[in-house]
Amino acid sequence: MNLSSLSHELNISINELRTKANAAGFRISPRANKIDNYLAKQIAEALKPKPKVDPNAPKPEAKKVSLPAFIKVRDFADLLELPVTNVIKALIQNGVMATINEEVDFETATIIAQDLGFEVATEQTGEAKEFGIGFLQEELLNESTENPAAMQTRPPIVAVMGHVDHGKTTLLDAIRKASVVDTESGGITQHIGAYQVKHDGKVITFLDTPGHEAFVEMRARGANVTDMIILVVAADDSVRPQTIEVINRAKFTNTPLIVAINKIDKENANVMKTKQELAEHGVLLEDWGGKVIAVEISAKNNVGIDKLLEMVLLQAEVEDYKANPEGKVLGTVIESHVAQGKGAVATVIVQNGTLKVGDIVVAGTGYGRVKSLEDEHGKKLKFVAPSRPALISGFSDLPEAGDILQTIENLDEARTMATNAQKMKHSRKLTHRSSLQGDSESKTLNLILKADVAGSLEAIKQSLAKLKNDEVQINILSEGIGEVNENDVLLADSSRGTVIAFHTKTNPKAINLAKQKKVAIESYDVIYELLENITSAVIAMFTPEMEKAVFGKGTVLAIFRTEKSQMIVGGRVDDGEIRKNKPVAIWRKLSEEEMAAVAANKVEGEEDAPETGIKNYKEIGRGEIVDLQQSKVDTKEVARGNEFGMKIKTNVKMQEGDLVESFEETLKQKTL
Ligand code: GDP
């Protein structure tokens, strides 16, 4: 074809044609006037103006599905009319490890259905709601806006936090001894995770959580029962990593801080240095022109405790914490355990309303009628008002620290809510929760590394090199020494990467920016923890494979009953064993013609393909054994040589002579 004809056809000049065709990857020699017809056709195809897509044109309809609150993976696949393996793969690609029989919650199922091209009806069918911190805050806000006149001042709820060994426990003991409420009650002080003290006639509630971990876990779940934090900093040790963690968390949750500079009795105490370091970390104390109150104390020698309590009350007066004692009962679980003779008990701080003995409550997976209420002295209470901690007995199951407690009208409803929480918890457990996630589509994990010194950086890089593999690429986009700054966050944002901070801080602007851009900054102090998390992020990106483990097989000798989607059959186990509640593959003998066709397809001299099925049989479908009997007795498995009767859920119409192969399919996740 002449180039001029083609240029005419495309309505462009010959020069333009040459340039555009070359740019599109075709080779036209600069001297050529004619080109091959086939090439001309391809060039024309590539350079023709594309028909514009009309944005208003109707899009192909996405299939609509309605999802229940929870759904078994198998039923989910049925609902979507997709092979279950596709659904499981999609789940895993989203970081959810679930097997066929496990349930996923509405949120998870929605994401997966959308990924698979479905449109999900917004309303879930059935009841399930997570009563998390968002719910609590919303309810508390409703209480205050709906009935402002009923709101009454309540005691402040205070948590004591700080670096290990800086004196938190000693301080909590000193406060408890100094001014316990109700000492005349004569009860023995029991540890219930919180206590109240009275100072100048006013009450303060202190959280007295034993393990720091438990408290961190609770905060990780977002529970925020505290109005105020006392940050204990030892004057002989100054600001340490956990001090910084508390400062950051207080900022993040907008919780006011009061600093207790402890151990001032020690010879090497350096109050000035401590204050200066606090200022460097953004805590501006009053005598440095800021607003944060600091009190110098010696928890061990009982010095400054009164002053500290005074300051707590002063701060509380400014903030004026309120609740409606007549309103809806809402609270947060602080601790729980199984107590001898009492069953599951939990300490709850009531945040609104008044909890009474006999109320029906639900908290996480636990529900029940309140059997007894006790304070920290073991004294029985009839009711518990806002800000008061109490040990509650009467739960069906242990609630967890951080669970929200509420009262419910009837026991059935409470039970349903607790059961849903149980399922939700299970489903949540399945979800890979580290914020360190790579891009599973491009299978890359983009990292921005920041460390304290060059040596750490080197050590991290060397360890990361060991994670090299064929499937997932770990890219270190930038590395540097010093604190995490805004540039690091911006780079992470544009590359969908994660900032890794090792032994180093993040400056406050970068923290804010990261929050805004939803960029993950992961801080580590221990290399192996860093590696562990990166390793699991890499593993989560591997595409898993289904692996079939065969337990055994048997021959169907009699058909007893055929229904629409299930059959009752009898037979004998030929190999291994057959197990109840496991899937079965149903195999049928090939007909003469089919066998002849197989033989005819075989290429002379070529080796047989490795055996993947049962020789001379073909798989005609699958099912699941829902009932299994041996000698008319229910059993979980029947071994080789024995006869069985079984009920199979299947759509296949089985016949005598078919084989049933009992197996289990597990997803095999590649590891490093
Ligand atoms: P926590 O890990 O923060 O709970 O710290 P602890 O309350 O267990 O205290 C750690 C150590 O510091 C213990 O040996 C305490 O006796 C000691 N300690 C706590 N407060 C003071 C104080 O005011 N002065 C002195 N000299 N030692 C203290």
Side-chain angles (χ1 to χ4, degrees), residues 246-355:
V246 177
I247 296 171
N248 290 339
R249 280 180 194 274
K251 239 184 249 166
F252 186 74
T253 54
N254 238 337
T255 313
L257 272 183
I258 291 183
V259 178
I261 300 180
N262 192 28
K263 305 198 188 183
I264 52 163
D265 58 289
K266 285 187 93 165
E267 239 172 57
N268 56 344
N270 190 341
V271 175
M272 278 308 281
K273 179 170 174 252
T274 306
K275 289 187 173 177
Q276 191 174 342
E277 287 194 8
L278 282 166
E280 281 165 19
H281 288 91
V283 180
L284 295 177
L285 303 179
E286 272 186 326
D287 45 353
W288 287 57
K291 283 195 179 140
V292 181
I293 300 167
V295 183
E296 292 168 31
I297 64 163
S298 166
K300 198 175 163 190
N301 299 341
N302 235 332
V303 173
I305 309 297
D306 280 354
K307 173 95 187 290
L308 182 64
L309 297 178
E310 245 166 62
M311 291 303 136
V312 169
L313 288 171
L314 189 76
Q315 178 91 28
E317 224 174 277
V318 175
E319 301 280 340
D320 196 13
Y321 303 109
K322 286 187 162 172
N324 177 5
E326 306 296 327
K328 184 175 165 55
V329 176
L330 295 161
T332 300
V333 174
I334 302 299
E335 259 185 46
S336 65
H337 65 278
V338 177
Q340 211 181 3
K342 286 187 190 161
V345 296
T347 300
V348 169
I349 292 196
V350 172
Q351 286 161 284
N352 196 68
T354 301
L355 181 65

Side-chain angles (χ1 to χ4, degrees), residues 462-469 472 474 531 534-535 538 672:
Q462 273 175 18
S463 311
L464 288 180
K466 292 191 196 130
L467 304 182
K468 197 166 154 41
N469 65 87
V472 173
I474 303 173
L531 284 178
I534 293 186
T535 307
V538 170
L672 271 166

Side-chain angles (χ1 to χ4, degrees), residues 395-570:
F395 284 106
S396 60
D397 183 27
L398 270 189
E400 281 178 26
D403 280 340
I404 309 297
L405 174 123
Q406 47 183 325
T407 49
I408 300 297
E409 285 294 309
N410 70 67
L411 216 50
D412 281 344
E413 197 184 332
R415 184 184 304 116
T416 310
M417 285 164 74
T419 314
N420 279 339
Q422 183 73 48
K423 291 180 180 173
M424 197 88 87
K425 186 169 142 190
H426 180 62
S427 165
R428 193 60 30 88
K429 262 197 198 146
L430 300 172
T431 314
H432 177 76
R433 302 202 71 188
S434 168
S435 55
L436 213 165
Q437 279 184 5
D439 185 349
S440 13
E441 242 165 68
S442 61
K443 300 220 181 246
T444 50
L445 182 64
N446 290 334
L447 302 177
I448 289 102
L449 294 185
K450 272 303 184 58
D452 51 348
V453 289
S456 312
L457 213 50
E458 261 326 295
I460 295 170
K461 284 199 304 187
Q462 273 175 18
S463 311
L464 288 180
K466 292 191 196 130
L467 304 182
K468 197 166 154 41
N469 65 87
D470 298 338
E471 199 176 338
V472 173
Q473 206 176 342
I474 303 173
N475 297 327
I476 300 174
L477 298 183
S478 101
E479 53 181 80
I481 293 161
E483 57 179 27
V484 176
N485 58 37
E486 290 152 283
N487 285 339
D488 300 322
V489 175
L490 289 173
L491 179 58
D493 181 41
S494 61
S495 62
R496 298 167 81 185
T498 305
V499 181
I500 303 287
F502 185 76
H503 262 301
T504 186
K505 296 172 286 197
T506 300
N507 78 34
K509 280 190 185 155
I511 294 176
N512 280 336
L513 189 66
K515 247 190 274 167
Q516 244 176 50
K517 302 258 182 204
K518 296 202 167 59
V519 163
I521 301 177
E522 300 242 327
S523 299
Y524 296 92
D525 286 323
V526 187
I527 285 203
Y528 90 78
E529 277 176 11
L530 183 161
L531 284 178
E532 219 171 62
N533 281 357
I534 293 186
T535 307
S536 42
V538 170
I539 289 175
M541 276 188 279
F542 285 148
T543 307
E545 282 154 10
M546 275 289 186
E547 203 176 63
K548 185 172 160 190
V550 175
F551 302 127
K553 67 174 192 301
T555 307
V556 175
L557 301 174
I559 308 290
F560 297 125
R561 200 165 162 164
T562 306
E563 289 170 13
K564 192 163 166 276
S565 56
Q566 66 180 27
M567 297 193 74
I568 299 176
V569 304

Side-chain angles (χ1 to χ4, degrees), residues 163-170 262-263 265-266 298-300:
H163 196 75
V164 65
D165 274 348
H166 278 200
K168 298 177 294 291
T169 316
T170 314
N262 192 28
K263 305 198 188 183
D265 58 289
K266 285 187 93 165
S298 166
K300 198 175 163 190

Side-chain angles (χ1 to χ4, degrees), residues 23 74 140 195 245 273 327 374 493 505 530 638 646 665:
R74 177 217 323 264
L140 289 174
Y195 62 80
E245 192 191 304
K273 179 170 174 252
E374 272 172 47
D493 181 41
K505 296 172 286 197
L530 183 161
V638 179
M646 58 165 72
E665 247 177 351

Side-chain angles (χ1 to χ4, degrees), residues 650-665:
T650 181
N651 292 323
V652 174
K653 295 288 161 273
M654 296 167 72
Q655 296 172 3
E656 282 174 23
D658 284 347
L659 299 183
V660 284
E661 184 188 38
S662 170
F663 70 97
E664 186 170 54
E665 247 177 351

Side-chain angles (χ1 to χ4, degrees), residues 72 74-75 78 100-101 561 563-569 580-586 621-628 646-654 660:
K72 267 196 185 180
R74 177 217 323 264
D75 301 337
D78 281 350
I100 292 180
N101 286 318
R561 200 165 162 164
E563 289 170 13
K564 192 163 166 276
S565 56
Q566 66 180 27
M567 297 193 74
I568 299 176
V569 304
K580 187 183 164 181
N581 292 335
K582 297 286 178 197
V584 280
I586 300 155
R622 291 192 171 186
E624 185 187 320
I625 304 176
V626 286
D627 274 324
L628 184 62
M646 58 165 72
K647 192 196 267 179
I648 298 188
K649 238 166 108 179
T650 181
N651 292 323
V652 174
K653 295 288 161 273
M654 296 167 72
V660 284

